Amino acid sequence: MLQKSQEIRSFRMYKTTADPPFNWISYKTCYLNLRDCSSLVRLKFGDNKCKLSSLIVLHLSGCTKLESTPDFLGLLNLEYLDLEQCTSLVHMHNSIWALEKLRSLSLRDNINLKGGPNGIACMTSLHTLDFQGSSNLSELRLVISRRYTTLGKSIPSQVLEALSFLDLGFCNLSKVPDDIGELKGLERLNLQGNSFTSLPYTIGRLSRLAYLNLEQCFNLHSLPQLPFFNDPLGGRYFKTVSGSRNQANKKIKIRK
């Protein structure tokens, strides 16, 4: 049994129980790696006296029996969260979308994940959001409202200018959310392998978009006016439908 330490700042666990206690972890811990702890079912970071306020990096990828994410309210300085291939994960605690300092969130290949974000307007530091391969994510909401309520007051939410990379490849999306146009800083957008038939006109508001991948979107039949179709600067990359015998000669209509 490890005793509580005030000096451990980086910790890697190779094996754990289904519901391990973390009340011994130091306040100074900034790096916690639980990658491939395949017996982990639940994760709790203790009571209010054991908030990991210094934690910056948390790896949980490959925790294939993890059923739900913990309450993240005690991890206010978290910047990097890796939840890849947590194949039993169905829902996430809403507190994850309130991590204002989070810069990178990977939820790749979570095949049973059903609930996307309730809105990421509070995640004003987020640069990278990766859902690729989360094939049960048939619907997705990004920015529910330009206002949110706190302490009984309605306050304008900040526009997500920090988010530069969004990966929604192979998520079985039947529709791209209209509020994607609110992601003003988006530079790279991967939508490959989805089932939607068109893109919302709001995507034309993404003036910084430099990379758009629509490969293997076999149901796509029309596009809105995209921000880089007539870009005089050049250097923009646009990959459209390919990889299917039935769509080798398919023409996509551009909506004006």
Side-chain angles (χ1 to χ4, degrees), residues 210-214 223 226 228-229 236-240 252:
Y211 173 94
L212 175 61
N213 189 351
L214 296 169
L223 287 175
L226 295 174
F228 49 78
F229 272 164
R236 304 295 183 97
Y237 184 78
F238 172 52
K239 180 181 285 189
T240 186
I252 298 177

Side-chain angles (χ1 to χ4, degrees), residues 5-7 11 24 30 41 45 56-57 72 75 89 96-97 111 129 141 157 171 203 235 250:
S5 169
Q6 297 298 323
E7 302 300 328
F11 184 78
W24 52 269
C30 59
V41 176
F45 292 112
I56 295 175
V57 178
F72 290 97
L75 281 62
L89 189 65
I96 193 173
W97 311 117
I111 58 175
L129 180 58
R141 293 178 293 177
S157 64
C171 286
I203 201 170
K250 179 176 179 178

